[in-house]
Amino acid sequence: MENNTNWSIDNAHSEISFKVKHMMISTVTGYFEDFEATAKTNGDNFNNAVIDFSAKTASINTKNKDRDAHLKSDDFFNSEKFPEMKFVSKSFDGEHLTGDLTIRDVTKEITLNADFNGVAVDPYGQTKAGFEITGQLNRKDFNLTWSAVTEAGSIVVSDKVKLVIDVQFAKQA
């Protein structure tokens, strides 16, 4: 079966976010605001879809300019040297999305949980497909290694990063 149906992400109805524990007592949420993604499917069936995603690391937004500047620095993403993070799928069975995630110069296979919310036609006649994708990774696996410890011995930034991705794809004519 051929993946001959093309979809592209609907940025206005999609959100790429992550959550990280701060000092182990609160959670900071951040977003990537500049991203793109495509999917190739066999009709409206997303099983075995081929999904490509990229985000500009400089588009990170945690609602704090100093923190965002730190995240763009070489302590974390080094947006100047590594302007994009990328994900290329290897398999999707309707529940688990597995693929290669590249952050900085490190590529690792990750598996994310994907809830496929189905396909619907919007009021303008466009066919849309919706997903909620969640998962987690260890940021140190991708050389986002900055660390600090408070006087009381709490880690300032958790190694564990939760991904929360809400995506709507639009079918291309």
Side-chain angles (χ1 to χ4, degrees):
M1 294 211 288
E2 270 185 55
N3 284 342
N4 53 13
T5 304
N6 292 314
W7 304 74
S8 63
I9 200 164
D10 178 349
N11 292 60
H13 297 105
S14 300
E15 195 171 80
I16 311 300
S17 66
F18 59 91
K19 295 177 180 291
V20 182
K21 281 251 189 291
H22 183 250
M23 296 186 16
M24 310 322 282
I25 55 168
S26 63
T27 298
V28 170
T29 303
Y31 302 88
F32 290 97
E33 302 200 320
D34 186 354
F35 53 86
E36 53 191 52
T38 59
K40 290 187 188 315
T41 62
N42 181 35
D44 288 353
N45 181 354
F46 273 78
N47 280 10
N48 301 312
V50 177
I51 297 171
D52 277 288
F53 167 83
S54 66
K56 300 267 190 261
T57 54
S59 76
I60 200 163
N61 179 359
T62 65
K63 301 189 171 106
N64 178 300
K65 282 193 169 28
D66 290 341
R67 181 170 55 217
D68 293 347
H70 190 199
L71 287 166
K72 292 173 199 177
S73 78
D74 193 37
D75 281 347
F76 291 99
F77 287 100
N78 190 345
S79 298
E80 210 166 287
K81 190 171 178 192
F82 306 109
E84 279 192 331
M85 54 187 271
K86 288 182 165 49
F87 175 84
V88 179
S89 71
K90 291 179 168 174
S91 69
F92 177 58
D93 64 7
E95 288 181 13
H96 301 101
L97 176 62
T98 299
D100 286 332
L101 178 65
T102 302
I103 301 176
R104 294 178 64 107
D105 52 353
V106 178
T107 300
K108 280 200 179 316
E109 184 177 282
I110 65 166
T111 297
L112 303 168
N113 298 316
D115 286 333
F116 177 46
N117 294 332
V119 173
V121 177
D122 74 8
Y124 308 100
Q126 280 197 306
T127 301
K128 303 285 186 79
F131 287 91
E132 290 170 46
I133 300 167
T134 56
Q136 67 180 38
L137 55 87
N138 185 325
R139 65 187 177 86
K140 290 190 172 168
D141 290 346
F142 294 92
N143 288 345
L144 308 178
T145 53
W146 183 85
S147 196
V149 175
T150 63
E151 278 182 37
S154 292
I155 295 167
V156 175
V157 180
S158 171
D159 294 349
K160 194 163 63 176
V161 179
K162 287 185 183 163
L163 304 176
V164 184
I165 301 165
D166 293 294
V167 179
Q168 200 174 97
F169 282 103
K171 189 190 280 191
Q172 303 302 295

